[in-house]
Amino acid sequence: MHRLVGGETLTTNRRQQDAGERAALEIWRTGSREQALNLLADRGRVHATDSADDASRGMLTAWNETRSRWGDACDVVDNLVVLAARNHDAALLNTGAQSLRRAAGELGREHRYALPGGGHLTLAVGDIVRVRANDYRSRRGAGPDVLNGYRAVVTDISDDHQVQIAWRRKDPDGTTGFGQAWLSVGDFTGGALSLGYAMTIAASQGLTTDTALVYGLGANAYALYPGITRARTANHLWLPTEALEDAETRAQLGEPRDDAEALDRALQAYATLLRQDRADTMVSDQLRAAPEPVAVPRPAEGEVAFPAWTDRQARPYGALSTAQLEARRLATTLRAAATTEHAADEQTRQAQEAAAAAAENPSAGQRTAQAAAAVLAVADQLAEQAQREADIAGGAATTAEQAKDIKEKIETASGRGRIALRLAGTSRAEQHSLLIQYARQLTDASEEQQRAERAATQARRQAWQTLHSSPYAESLRAHGGLGEAPDDVTVMRHQFAAMRAHLPVLAAQVDTARAEAAQQARTEALELRARASDLRTAADQLKAEQQLRQKIIAQAPQRHLADEAARDAALLRRQRQRAPQPRAEAEPILYSSFTRQPPTRATGLFS
């Protein structure tokens, strides 16, 4: 159609801000999709997971983290979108995003609506939704138009379960305005409204956002391109390796050894699938006479014999397509082997250092116990000082109480007459002098009591802080090392004594842990070296397969063509066998740790 009407050609990409993304998309448009995917992966835009559920979990985690950049729900609508090729996957991602928000307490009043066909739709105040039908209300004077494709926020649910939505829109003059409308139950139970956290790539056509998170499974090359071009700042793609690789390839290669291998295998498998896609054609092209079937080439008689590509013992990687066998896979395997060998060297170094430390005298545990004992000694000295000050405060309190009693008696006696005082062997002058003396004694004793109490409190706190802030508090947790300071200094000193008694056990624990760490490092080093050896073997086998195919091309070209055709046919059969069957309705998944559960409940929660 583009050729027929003389359509315009895109020459400048003004949407993507990242130069790497622009370069990758330009390469994509030339047909070099695998190169474009690799470039996106190098920019950190492609994320490989093991299973489809892992991909959903990764996407929802990324969505939950990314949306925190925008506080307002309308800002999230404008700047973030989750995309999938199939309605089923979009529905699962919508359910997961809603469950995350419900678990976070971000949603308000909600209602569960029955849909035709036995399905259900749960909506809550605060949910992001998408309008899926046109309602030209302005033509009948019933408010603003509610148009297909609007993404909005649920702002209210009435007692009769009508839903109010609000959306942000660009007015013709370039300013930003807001629209608001009520939808009846009949409106959206008829399909006019759905959750709008995620949508299909097809539904996102024409959308521009800040960040797009795209689920790649089920999208061919022509469906994927609109998905990875929606965002200005970043377009991220998730690929589930297990669902993309065929069983035979996975059996040959085994589980990915690390994230780098998982990403590389996901890219290889996805690129293989994308190469199977064909561009859309005109119906008239389909009406032309079918071409004669091309005969599968057969090996010519007299050609040099080589092991069959299906002989796994002679050719472990014979089933790989030429694209899968290209230098990138060999280079990746060699790079993984070198990385694993480096990790093995590091583990060996750590094991040697740990063994050397274990042989020291005093041992690490003994040094730790000695250092902890020194800290406890300082803490106990401070506790002892606190105890002395507490005793001084107690003595001063007794003295003050005695002075107070005598002072009160003198004050009582001072009220008698002169003759009575003379008969008692004293005088007013003597009584006055005694009153001053015991008043001073009471004041001095009270002040000494207060000083000693303050000093005792300070010393007690310093004693506990000395331990609590030391590196050994965690090791002495069982004896209260991380607890609150005891109010009774005697109790505190008893705890210190119990901690000192525990130090030999602590020394043994440290030395045992060091010995176990050394043994663990040695074990991991051996495992890593074995893994590196396996990778080197795999690299040798890949290189041997490449060299063998070059020989076959040179010495038995007909055999090479026959092998290539047979591999492609086997790959196509495997792809058809694992192609997903269409479903009438999305099967619900309960997102409890993102694992698939039987559909016995309407919605799921993140636990």
Side-chain angles (χ1 to χ4, degrees), residues 170-209:
K170 286 287 181 119
D171 292 330
D173 59 359
T175 61
T176 299
F178 288 89
Q180 193 174 62
W182 281 95
L183 277 70
S184 68
V185 175
D187 288 334
F188 51 85
T189 56
L193 196 68
S194 67
L195 288 174
Y197 301 100
M199 66 177 74
T200 62
I201 296 174
S204 72
Q205 292 275 13
L207 175 71
T208 298
T209 187

Side-chain angles (χ1 to χ4, degrees), residues 358-414:
E360 294 176 351
N361 188 20
S363 68
Q366 290 170 338
R367 293 196 301 273
T368 299
Q370 290 170 358
V375 170
L376 286 171
V378 173
D380 192 57
Q381 289 175 359
L382 289 167
E384 184 180 11
Q385 177 184 342
Q387 198 166 38
R388 288 197 302 269
E389 293 291 351
D391 291 341
I392 292 172
T398 301
T399 300
E401 187 65 28
Q402 292 173 348
K404 180 180 179 182
D405 289 343
I406 295 174
K407 177 174 173 290
E408 289 176 349
K409 292 178 179 179
I410 293 173
E411 288 174 343
T412 301
S414 298

Side-chain angles (χ1 to χ4, degrees), residues 131-169:
V131 178
R132 306 186 67 168
N134 289 319
D135 185 356
Y136 296 100
R137 300 186 177 194
S138 62
R139 297 179 182 178
R140 59 181 188 270
D145 294 336
V146 182
L147 301 181
N148 184 20
Y150 278 2
R151 294 177 74 207
V153 178
V154 176
T155 54
D156 196 6
I157 297 178
S158 65
D159 292 339
D160 58 355
H161 310 311
Q162 295 188 75
V163 173
Q164 185 184 54
I165 62 172
W167 63 91
R168 183 182 289 165
R169 64 167 183 256

